[in-house]
Amino acid sequence: MDDVWSLDVTWWLRIYEGLPKGNGSSIIITTRIEEVAQKMRVKEERSHWPKCLNKDDSWLLFRNVAFAASGGTCVHSELEHVGKEIVEKCKGLPLAIKAVGGIMLCKPSRYHEWRRISNHFRDELTENDNSVMASLQLSYDELPSYLKSCFLCLSLYPEDCIITKDQLVHWWIGEGFIPLRNGRSAVEAGEDCFSGLTNRCLLEVVGKTYHGTISSCKVHDMVRDVVITMAVDDAFFRPDGTNCRHLGITAGTVQKANHKLRALLSTTKTAEVNKISSNTGKKFCESQYLRVMDLSRSIFDTPLSSLLNQIGFLQHLTYLSVSNTHPLVQLPHSLKKLSNLQILDVSYCQNLKILPSCIVTFKKLRVLDVSHCGSLNYLPKGLGRLSNLEVLLGFKPAKSSQLEGCRIVELRNLIRLRKLGLQLTCCDEIGDTEVNVLVNLQELQHLSISCFDSHGNLAKMHERFWENDNVVWKIEGLMLESLSDFEEEWVKIQQAMPSLRVVTVSWCPELVSFPIEDVGFRGGVWK
């Protein structure tokens, strides 16, 4: 029972009475309040008070974080004294040490800069005699302005909530928190901001994707306390949802008129869903300045397309997610008015049968996710016009008979694409003139190909898929799924994809030459 803080333990006593006694089993309770443990009937001899780290272990932990770029070694001797001075102020508390170490990791290795941070930390401790809270306040103060906005977004999520990286990055892009310079990829810039928070130990890593990058995270309770305080002070978010610019959707959300609202996001915990009444749902389109609307993992009592029939009124909307919502058979007709849309996520909408043709007019679209949409037959023709597209997941090419659908040849024009997920089911989806279209995608870093539920499987890559022997792909992550007849030689793939770091393969029994033992290839990981 982790982090129990309520002095009212009636709930626990009811559980306790039903537990078997004397059979050698144990229950571990963690709390910051000794009286709570006593009320939960923990005997004194069974209590354990974790000790703070000693001086050597504190310095070791700090070094591993602050000097991560040099393998935990302090290469500048003039920084060691001031570094140990900073560590001493943390009083052996690991969270404080990691937080302040994360600050130093992101600072230049100059003595005067480190001395300034040490003095700032001393001032924070004078105001708040709690080294953890002082270090977290210091972390916030030292963030660049754009990362402060990104950090405040964490205030919306409930305690112990698992947060997906994609939701955060898409939110930041949608609300314009991320600085974009020189035509840089928005998704890449967003992921750099995410790394900026994880490097400073303000986010805890929970899960990773098939290609090894972080996919989910959570916020430590004490970090959450700090970020909520900052968010309330800035009118960014308030726990009661009143008069703030951002609101998290939970099962009990009652949407009230709020013309200040800029972002409305689902913040449910893992395996939970939002059950939203039609009265609440109809109010989602009333905040005319809304830029971000994420309704994922929600169940509505009426069709979502009718509830959102006024969505075209939200002219500033840049990020829309209806991922894993029910019931959703089609998107609302007024969607065509959202000319500023940059991110559209309809993943895991199993009943969605068609995407409206207006999708191809969204010139600013950067992310389109239609993965795991089992009823979707194809994407609309003209998708190749979306020249700013960086992420396309769940692409299902149209068959030769589906004249309204997008063929794979159109992908040739998406030269900014960084992530591509292909869903292949029939042999006539790729024609002889289309087999080399991916060669043009020189920015492509992650490629996944799935033939789940297919008829006439993919056995080999066509010779023109490689175009010629001099092709060098930039792909770092490759996933192959359910290619039951696929028997390509891996030597050829390795030669064409020298940057390959992570390969994940499942249900591909014919890959007899797959180099299982070649763990050290290019310093990467083979799965």
Side-chain angles (χ1 to χ4, degrees), residues 41 46 74 122 150 155 159 210 219 239 251 291 305 321 338 342 344 347 375 380 382 426 428 504:
R41 301 186 181 179
R46 290 284 189 177
C74 178
R122 179 196 61 208
C150 296
S155 61
E159 189 175 6
Y210 79 88
V219 183
R291 294 177 62 97
S305 54
S321 173
L338 301 181
Q342 296 185 38
L344 178 61
S347 59
S375 301
C426 296
D428 67 341
T504 300

Side-chain angles (χ1 to χ4, degrees), residues 51-58 61 91-94 97:
K51 296 184 174 120
C52 294
L53 299 180
N54 61 35
K55 185 180 294 187
D56 291 339
D57 287 339
S58 295
L61 177 59
K91 301 176 183 176
L93 294 169
I97 295 169

Side-chain angles (χ1 to χ4, degrees), residues 231-232 234-248 254-261:
V232 170
D234 197 39
F236 187 94
F237 167 73
R238 289 191 175 90
D240 63 4
T242 60
N243 200 32
C244 56
R245 300 191 300 277
H246 307 86
L247 184 64
V254 177
Q255 175 68 358
K256 300 175 182 176
N258 181 359
H259 297 296
K260 291 184 178 180
L261 208 59

Side-chain angles (χ1 to χ4, degrees), residues 73-94:
T73 302
C74 178
V75 295
H76 301 281
S77 56
E78 70 275 13
L79 300 182
E80 183 166 336
H81 175 73
V82 68
K84 288 183 174 179
E85 185 180 296
I86 290 173
V87 170
E88 187 177 352
K89 294 171 183 172
C90 294
K91 301 176 183 176
L93 294 169

Side-chain angles (χ1 to χ4, degrees), residues 162-169 191 194-199 203-218 419 446 501:
I162 304 299
I163 309 167
T164 64
K165 180 184 74 172
D166 284 345
Q167 187 185 51
L168 283 176
V169 170
E191 290 177 348
F194 186 86
S195 297
L197 295 181
T198 54
N199 289 342
L203 284 174
E204 298 180 10
V205 177
V206 174
K208 294 189 176 182
T209 64
Y210 79 88
H211 46 77
T213 60
I214 299 170
S215 61
S216 58
C217 62
K218 65 178 182 178
K419 297 180 183 178
H446 303 122
R501 295 189 300 109

